[in-house]
Structures are given as C-alpha cells and as structure tokens.
Amino acid sequence: METCPRGCTPAVRLCQKLNRLKTLDDDMMATSLKRCLSTLDLTLLGVGGMVGSGLYVLTGTVAKDIVGPAVIVSFIIAGFASLLAAFCYAEFGARIPKTGSAYMFTYVSVGEVWAFLIGWNVILENMIGGAAVARAWSGYLDSIFNHAIQNFTETHIMQWNVPFLAHYPDVLAAGILVVASFFISFGVQVSSYLNHIFSTISMCVIIFILVFGFILAEPVNWSKKEGGFAPFGLSGILAGSATCFYAFVGFDVIASSSEEAKNPQKSVPIATAISLGLAAAAYILVATVLTLMVPWHTLDPNSALADAFFRRGYSWAGVIVAIGSICAMNTVLLCNLFSLPRIVYAMAEDGLFFSIFARVNPITKVPVNAILVFGLLMATMALVFDLEALVQFLSIGTLLAYTFVAASVIVLRFQPDKTSSKGTASTSPNPSAGPSEAPSESQTINEDSGELKQYESFSDKLQLVERQASTEHRGVGQLKAYWEPYLGKLLGQCEPGEVVGHCVLTVIVSSVSLCAVVEFGTKQLHLPAWSFIMLLVIFSLAYVLSLTLIWLHEPQTSSKTFQVPLVPLTPAASILINIFLMMKLSYLTWIRFTVWIAVGLLVYFGYGIWHSKEGLRALQPKDMAARYVVLPSGSLVETVQSVQPDGQPDTSTHHVTPSAAPTSEEYAGNR
C-alpha cells in the first residue's frame, strides 16, 4: 500500500506539469508591445479577416455545387454558429487582454500542454491560410492577364510534376508574402494603416456590387423554372452551412490584438460584434445579389461575381469587382501575417517555444523575428506546395481552438479569481506546488476544539470565522445554497470549480459521442434502429445532465468586462456545433492532424516543458507564503514561511506577529 504512492509520484508530478495554469499579473495592461489600436482599428481588422476571398469565390462555389439560392439561409445559420464562438473570444479578449488568442485562453483555464497544442495548431492554420490566400491572390491576378504569368513561369523558369506540390513555383504569391511581412515589421500602426486602405476599398466595392446588383436582379432566377430557391433541400442547406462557417473564422484576429488595444475591455467586444455583423450582412446580401443576377446553376465557381457582371454585359463592372477581390485578399493576408507572429511571441514569452521569437524590437514594439521567420516560411509554402490538398486542414485547427475556448469560458466562469502578482506563490493557480501548498480547508483542525486552526490566507479564509453569521453565502464554483440540502452530501465536499471541470469534460465527451453516432451510426457503423436511438438518448442525457450540474453552481457575476450570455448553454452549444463540423472532415485531414500533433508533442517535451516560465516559477526557493492562525482565545497571528521546491525539506523559520481578530463588521468594512 505504501509503495504505490511512491511509485506513482513521477506520474503525478508529470500530470501536474502538463496541467499547470498560467499565472496572471494584477496589472493586465502591462505589456512590452505598444497599445495603440482603437475600436475602429480592431473592427477593420476583424472585417478584413472575414471578408476576403470567401466573398468572391466561396459564395459562388457553395451556391452552384451545394445549396443553390438557399445559400442565403446557409450563411445565416453559419453566422449564428460563429456568433456563439465569437461571444467566447470576446469575453476572454476583454477579461484577459493578452496576445495569443485561443492559446492564452486555454493556458489560463485548462492547462499548459493543451494550450501548447492549441497554439501549435493555430500556427499551422495561419501559415496554411496565408499561403492559400496568397496563391488565390496570384491566381486571380493571373486570370485577369489570361494566365500570362503562369505560362511565363512554366516556360522560362521551371515546372514539375510531384504529388502535393504545385505544377510550377508561384513566385508572385511568395513575393507578395515577403513584401507584406516587410511592411508589417515596421509596426502595428503601419499594419493598421494598410488594413484601413484595403478594407475601405473592399467595402466600397461591396457597396457597389449590392447597389448595381440589385438593379440587375431578376426574381425569375429563384423560380421553379431555374430549379427553385432550395433545389438541394434541407440537407443541402446544412451541408452549405458547414462550408460557409469557415467564411467567419477571421474574427479571432481581434482577440489576438487585444494586448495592443488602447481599451480592450470595451473595444474587443464591440469590435467583435460589429465586424461579425458586417461580415454576415455582406455575405448574405452578396449571395442574394449573385443568385438574382444570373441563374445559380450557371455560376463560375472561380470568379462568380466578376463573371456575373461580364455575362450581363458590364465588363467594366467586372474589373471593379476584380480590384475589390484583390484588395479583400490583401486584408486577409495582413490579418494572417499580423496574428501569426503574435501567437508565436506569446508562446515564446511563456517559455514554451524558442526564446528568439520572444524578442521585441525596441523601436517598432513588434516581434520582428517571429514576423520575418514565419513570413518567409509562409512564402516558401506558397511557392512550392499545392495547397488545395491542405486547405481542408485549416478547418480542424480552427474548430479545435473554438472548442477549447468555449470550454475555457465555462471553466473560468465557475472558478474563484486566481489573478495574482508576480512571485506570490500563495495565490498562484499552479497545481504543481505539491507539498509546499498550505493545508486545505479539509485539513484544518475542527473549530470546536481548543487547538489551533490554520488558514491559507486572510482574505480567503477569515470568512470561516464569521460563517455562523452568514450561512447562505456561497463562493464561486460551489453548490448553490438552495441545492445544498439535496446534493450537499454528494457534491458539497468538492473543491470550488472541481465539479464544473468534470462536467465540462463530460460535455465534450458526450458531444463527441453524440455527433459520432449521428454522423456515422446509420452509414458506416450500420447500427440497428433501436441501438441508434438508445445511444442518442444516453449521450443526450449525459450532455443535458452535465449542463444542469454546472448550472447548479455559483458563477462569477462581478466582472466589469463583457460576459457571454446564458452560460453554460451558449458555450456548450458552440462546443456541440464545432465537434459536429469536425466530424464532417475527411479521414485524410484527421491523419494529417495526428501527424502534426505528434510533431508538436516532440517540440513540447523536447523544449517547452523544460523552459516553461510557470515551471521555473514553481522552483523558486525564496517565495514566501503567509499563514493565518486563529487562536482558541479568538486572536489572530500571522505566520510567514518560505515555500520549498518539490522534494526539499521545509527548513523555514516562523515569525509570529500577534494581532487582534477583527469583528465581522470590521472585516466587512475593510473588504
């Protein structure tokens, strides 16, 4: 019996390291970056990240091949699903205004290894996304000149026939990425200024498309003669929604930029809401115009909007649309090159990635090394790879990040506030403190005895002295007082937030199981009807029961920043939608994802886990922890002792300072 704990100690310590949380400072606004972005800047960044090549290419492709004119409904559904994820990003961006987006949010609330894997996937997502947009930009420009650029490259430079590689090196796509990286390295204000120019031109072109397009609209194109409004039925609309969902994935650039915002508590939620609303309106209205101008089954998937104006006899309008599409693609490129280095910088700043990327230029206040290195890597991918085989890989990284952010919202909402100053070990959320932590509440001596009672901190534990006077008060993450008589014996002894954490894990597992049964139950698995229905009922009940148990606990309600409405329902719905969309991805995407995760784990266990600043902070031997002891007479003494690293004996000395115990009224007034 005694050998098991000793044998399990290395595994327990490893789990503690993998799941340690990031310690936040009291001053959330402190940063080595430059806070200069306004609400307008963040809004245009969000619009630029969402309204790009998808508006000019995706709309026509989905309308012709998947949905028909009902692509409008698909965009409405996809916009609502994106709104659920955007709510979660807005709360975190306002509450924790630090760069890193989904990586940072996961690190604060879930754990280190999960945060690293999210950041690792977001890095690849941005690299492939930027390279894909650069190739689309090059191809669009090449089509305007009747493919003269491609013909010249294949004839005078080189071409090859290698699987997963392009037929020719796209020098133009690589060149635009190098130039864009060069401009972004001059500072966030230069990036914002360029984004303003391209976004303004793009929005003006969209307004032109809507006004002129509605003039040319012919309602007969929605008639039964042309196939009707929804020729592919409800299944086509839902399939189109899954594709249209990816048109809105660029809003996370706002959260990535929160550390450079002047007033992130207000500007991040406002910019997220406005940019998502503008993007959704643009997609819905442009889809309406496009399917009314020409019959949906005659659309050109590669350049639907420009081709529609050409076919109606307005070639000059097609040129304007082409200019707008190029400007829109430029904004997406800028957003990818803007957010990618900042995620790399955040990971390097925390010690989980190579420290060279944590260096900030003292003049421009941007991570120049990360910008230039990853800009060149992105340009290399655009130069040689045939990205059509990898584009679907973008989806899984984005959806995984959305899922973890939504789960983090629930976990953090039902956890006591753990923000602390640097070096304050007593309030650190680091679970690896191990033997050096103060005794928990369950380890304190019974109050009715005449012995000493030890508490972790004055502000958190002294309220136990006045517990008899206020029995109805419940802390964050604890069972609500109303349900204490019914569930107190079962859940009352759990630590604050512990039950919620287990329930969130159950929500994710039940969502995966439920979506897997719906997607594969009757097709690949060939389940009989009774088994299919039984599994649906079981996993649905587990999902609903988990949400109910979360709702029975006390949430944080005193936050002065934006909060997601209807927690835990809103983030749980986002988790379910994201997992359902992930189930629709091909098995090749999952294979590539597994390989990339394996490479990331090698990087983490080879470098990150050893250089993590949270790990180094836990090993500092000179941290001081305060203990407050209530004497039998009612007086209070403070004990200060050093916190030793794991495995080292406690050789600290105790300095006792007597003080009088304050009354309940005095404590409430001071608090």
Side-chain angles (χ1 to χ4, degrees):
M1 295 294 290
E2 294 182 359
T3 58
C4 181
R6 282 199 291 266
C8 296
T9 298
V12 171
R13 289 182 177 176
L14 177 61
C15 290
Q16 290 175 341
K17 290 180 179 180
L18 297 181
N19 292 284
R20 54 194 171 201
L21 306 180
K22 180 175 177 61
T23 304
L24 296 174
D25 300 332
D26 284 333
D27 187 4
M28 286 286 191
M29 299 296 287
T31 177
S32 58
L33 304 178
K34 185 177 182 181
R35 290 196 178 273
C36 58
L37 296 178
S38 63
T39 303
L40 177 62
D41 297 327
L42 293 176
T43 301
L44 291 179
L45 276 174
V47 172
M50 288 182 279
V51 181
S53 56
L55 186 72
Y56 298 91
V57 179
L58 181 67
T59 305
T61 302
V62 175
K64 181 178 181 179
D65 299 333
I66 304 177
V67 188
V71 65
I72 302 167
V73 182
S74 296
F75 274 120
I76 293 175
I77 297 174
F80 176 76
S82 300
L83 182 65
L84 300 179
F87 274 146
C88 301
Y89 272 81
E91 172 170 335
F92 269 114
R95 184 173 178 178
I96 307 172
K98 297 292 183 181
T99 191
S101 189
Y103 156 77
M104 180 62 65
F105 307 154
T106 306
Y107 201 175
V108 168
S109 55
V110 179
E112 183 173 285
V113 67
W114 309 107
F116 177 86
L117 293 178
I118 290 298
W120 185 247
N121 278 284
V122 172
I123 288 174
L124 182 66
E125 168 202 338
N126 280 274
M127 289 179 63
I128 295 180
V133 172
R135 289 195 70 96
W137 181 93
S138 174
Y140 209 98
L141 190 64
D142 190 33
S143 65
I144 295 176
F145 295 101
N146 199 22
H147 302 288
I149 301 174
Q150 177 181 351
N151 295 333
F152 177 84
T153 305
E154 292 180 346
T155 304
H156 296 89
I157 301 179
M158 66 182 302
Q159 60 175 322
W160 54 68
N161 292 313
V162 181
F164 299 107
L165 297 182
H167 296 297
Y168 67 97
D170 197 336
V171 180
L172 187 61
I176 187 62
L177 285 170
V178 172
V179 172
S181 301
F182 177 74
F183 277 107
I184 286 180
S185 65
F186 281 105
V188 63
Q189 289 179 317
V190 175
S191 306
S192 178
Y193 180 71
L194 290 174
N195 185 70
H196 283 199
I197 295 175
F198 291 127
S199 296
T200 302
I201 296 175
S202 177
M203 288 190 290
C204 290
V205 172
I206 292 173
I207 294 173
F208 167 79
I209 292 171
L210 296 179
V211 173
F212 198 38
F214 274 116
I215 294 175
L216 300 177
E218 295 179 353
V220 69
N221 291 322
W222 284 6
S223 64
K224 291 184 178 180
K225 178 182 177 182
E226 298 293 346
F229 179 74
F232 297 95
L234 180 61
S235 60
I237 292 175
L238 295 178
S241 300
T243 304
C244 294
F245 178 83
Y246 308 116
F248 302 99
V249 299
F251 64 79
D252 59 345
V253 69
I254 298 175
S256 299
S257 311
S258 59
E259 192 165 340
E260 292 161 286
K262 295 178 182 177
N263 187 3
Q265 285 75 18
K266 291 184 178 180
S267 58
V268 169
I270 293 174
T272 302
I274 295 176
S275 61
L276 188 62
L278 290 175
Y283 277 105
I284 293 169
L285 293 175
V286 168
T288 304
V289 166
L290 180 62
T291 53
L292 285 174
M293 284 178 61
V294 294
W296 61 270
H297 52 80
T298 64
L299 292 171
D300 181 4
N302 296 321
S303 56
L305 279 171
D307 182 70
F309 282 105
F310 275 114
R311 289 170 54 192
R312 294 299 299 269
Y314 297 94
S315 57
W316 57 270
V319 174
I320 294 177
V321 172
I323 294 173
S325 66
I326 291 176
C327 290
M329 293 180 196
N330 285 338
T331 61
V332 178
L333 279 179
L334 289 173
C335 289
N336 276 280
L337 287 170
F338 185 88
S339 59
L340 172 59
R342 282 154 179 80
I343 295 171
V344 174
Y345 161 79
M347 296 175 67
E349 180 72 12
D350 291 331
L352 302 186
F353 208 52
F354 305 112
S355 59
I356 188 175
F357 299 122
R359 298 176 185 173
V360 176
N361 187 285
I363 300 176
T364 60
K365 300 294 184 181
V366 294
V368 175
N369 292 338
I371 292 173
L372 296 180
V373 170
F374 282 88
L376 290 175
L377 288 175
M378 197 182 295
T380 303
M381 295 180 66
L383 180 70
V384 300
F385 282 107
D386 181 7
L387 295 172
E388 291 182 3
L390 296 176
V391 164
Q392 197 179 18
F393 191 80
L394 295 173
S395 310
I396 195 166
T398 303
L399 293 171
L400 188 68
Y402 286 0
T403 301
F404 268 84
V405 170
S408 299
V409 165
I410 304 177
V411 171
L412 205 61
R413 182 69 67 85
F414 290 88
Q415 276 187 353
D417 191 6
K418 294 182 178 180
T419 303
S420 65
S421 302
K422 287 183 179 181
T424 307
S426 61
T427 57
S428 171
N430 191 345
S432 62
S436 62
E437 290 181 347
S440 63
E441 183 177 337
S442 60
Q443 294 173 317
T444 56
I445 302 173
N446 192 297
E447 293 186 21
D448 296 331
S449 67
E451 301 178 32
L452 301 182
K453 294 170 283 298
Q454 191 177 38
Y455 299 97
E456 184 175 353
S457 68
F458 182 82
S459 59
D460 292 335
K461 301 300 183 181
L462 188 61
Q463 57 183 317
L464 297 177
V465 177
E466 55 184 15
R467 183 169 53 187
Q468 295 178 351
S470 178
T471 57
E472 292 299 321
H473 175 72
R474 307 294 295 173
V476 173
Q478 294 180 332
L479 195 66
K480 291 181 179 179
Y482 178 82
W483 299 100
E484 182 71 26
Y486 308 100
L487 299 174
K489 293 183 179 180
L490 181 63
L491 304 176
Q493 301 300 319
C494 297
E495 292 293 325
E498 181 181 357
V499 175
V500 173
H502 292 305
C503 288
V504 170
L505 180 61
T506 306
V507 166
I508 295 176
V509 172
S510 60
S511 297
V512 171
S513 304
L514 182 62
C515 294
V517 171
V518 172
E519 184 65 22
F520 308 114
T522 57
K523 299 176 184 177
Q524 285 83 351
L525 299 179
H526 303 290
L527 294 175
W530 66 269
S531 177
F532 180 78
I533 295 175
M534 183 183 69
L535 290 176
L536 287 182
V537 171
I538 291 175
F539 296 133
S540 298
L541 287 176
Y543 182 86
V544 174
L545 181 61
S546 300
L547 294 183
T548 303
L549 287 177
I550 295 173
W551 178 76
L552 295 180
H553 290 75
E554 291 285 353
Q556 292 183 0
T557 57
S558 60
S559 177
K560 297 181 181 179
T561 59
F562 171 80
Q563 288 191 323
V564 178
L566 301 177
V567 173
L569 183 60
T570 300
S574 179
I575 291 173
L576 186 63
I577 293 173
N578 297 333
I579 292 176
F580 178 74
L581 294 176
M582 291 173 70
M583 291 292 175
K584 287 188 168 292
L585 301 177
S586 67
Y587 72 94
L588 287 176
T589 301
W590 283 96
I591 293 175
R592 298 186 193 107
F593 172 74
T594 304
V595 172
W596 182 249
I597 286 293
V599 175
L601 289 175
L602 289 176
V603 174
Y604 176 73
F605 285 105
Y607 181 89
I609 195 172
W610 308 107
H611 296 82
S612 169
K613 289 189 177 179
E614 289 302 322
L616 297 177
R617 178 177 294 162
L619 295 176
Q620 292 178 357
K622 295 183 180 180
D623 287 344
M624 305 303 295
R627 302 289 185 265
Y628 296 88
V629 179
V630 180
L631 300 176
S633 61
S635 61
L636 181 72
V637 297
E638 179 186 14
T639 302
V640 181
Q641 66 183 63
S642 62
V643 181
Q644 300 296 330
D646 292 346
Q648 295 186 14
D650 186 1
T651 58
S652 60
T653 58
H654 300 272
H655 305 280
V656 181
T657 304
S659 59
T663 63
S664 300
E665 292 79 5
E666 291 174 340
Y667 170 69
N670 293 333
R671 183 173 57 180

